[in-house]
């Protein structure tokens, strides 16, 4: 049992690192397919996102980071978000995996978000 760290490193090298790499490759393939579909006119995410203009949302991107803010504008392939302090961010829709309206309770206060 003195060599548990050795087995942990072997496990990490053989399983965890390849799984992370495979996930990144899959996300890149999905983004590429979305670009191709958009160019052909088959897939338009912008029409779906227009329902969320003016609402506070949580956007999960391909790198699994959450971006929160109010959607102000949608142009071509980009979403403009504005947070509480007035800072603006631009997010590419090719890398969006999920959009969720910020959950609120019965009194209208924000609920805690669990990803």
């Amino acid at each position: 049992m003195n060599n548990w760290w050795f087995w942990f490193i072997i496990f990490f090298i053989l399983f965890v690192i390849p799984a992370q790499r495979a996930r990144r490759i899959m996300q890149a393939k999905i983004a590429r397919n979305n670009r191709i579909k958009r160019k052909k006119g088959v897939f338009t995410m912008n029409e779906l996102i227009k329902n969320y203009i003016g609402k506070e949302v949580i956007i999960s991107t391909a790198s699994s980071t959450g971006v929160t803010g109010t959607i102000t504008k949608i142009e071509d392939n980009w979403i403009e978000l504005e947070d509480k302090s007035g800072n603006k961010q631009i997010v590419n829709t090719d890398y969006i995996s999920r959009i969720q309206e910020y959950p609120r309770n019965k009194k209208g206060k924000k609920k805690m978000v669990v990803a």
Side-chain angles (χ1 to χ4, degrees), residues 6-107:
F6 174 75
W7 293 108
F8 177 76
I9 292 172
I10 296 295
F11 173 78
F12 194 78
I13 291 173
L14 291 178
F15 296 106
V16 176
I17 293 175
Q20 290 175 343
R21 185 172 184 272
R23 185 179 333 128
R24 266 188 264 124
I25 290 171
M26 183 60 73
Q27 290 170 345
K29 285 180 182 179
I30 290 170
R32 186 178 58 230
N33 288 340
N34 288 345
R35 278 193 300 267
I36 291 169
K37 287 179 182 179
R38 190 180 60 251
K39 286 180 183 178
K40 290 180 180 178
V42 175
F43 179 73
T44 58
M45 185 181 276
N46 293 347
E47 298 300 322
L48 297 172
I49 297 172
K50 286 182 182 179
N51 296 330
Y52 292 101
I53 291 179
K55 296 181 181 178
E56 190 167 2
V57 296
I58 303 166
I59 297 178
S60 301
T61 59
S63 62
S64 71
T65 57
V67 181
T68 60
T70 305
I71 296 178
T72 56
K73 237 193 310 189
I74 299 173
E75 290 182 13
D76 296 333
N77 197 25
W78 297 90
I79 297 175
E80 184 177 300
L81 290 171
E82 186 173 351
D83 61 2
K84 289 181 183 178
S85 60
N87 297 330
K88 293 187 178 185
Q89 295 181 356
I90 298 175
V91 180
N92 189 337
T93 58
D94 286 337
Y95 297 100
I96 293 176
S97 60
R98 185 174 94 173
I99 297 178
Q100 176 185 6
E101 189 173 351
Y102 212 95
R104 298 187 180 273
N105 64 12
K106 293 178 183 178
K107 295 180 181 179

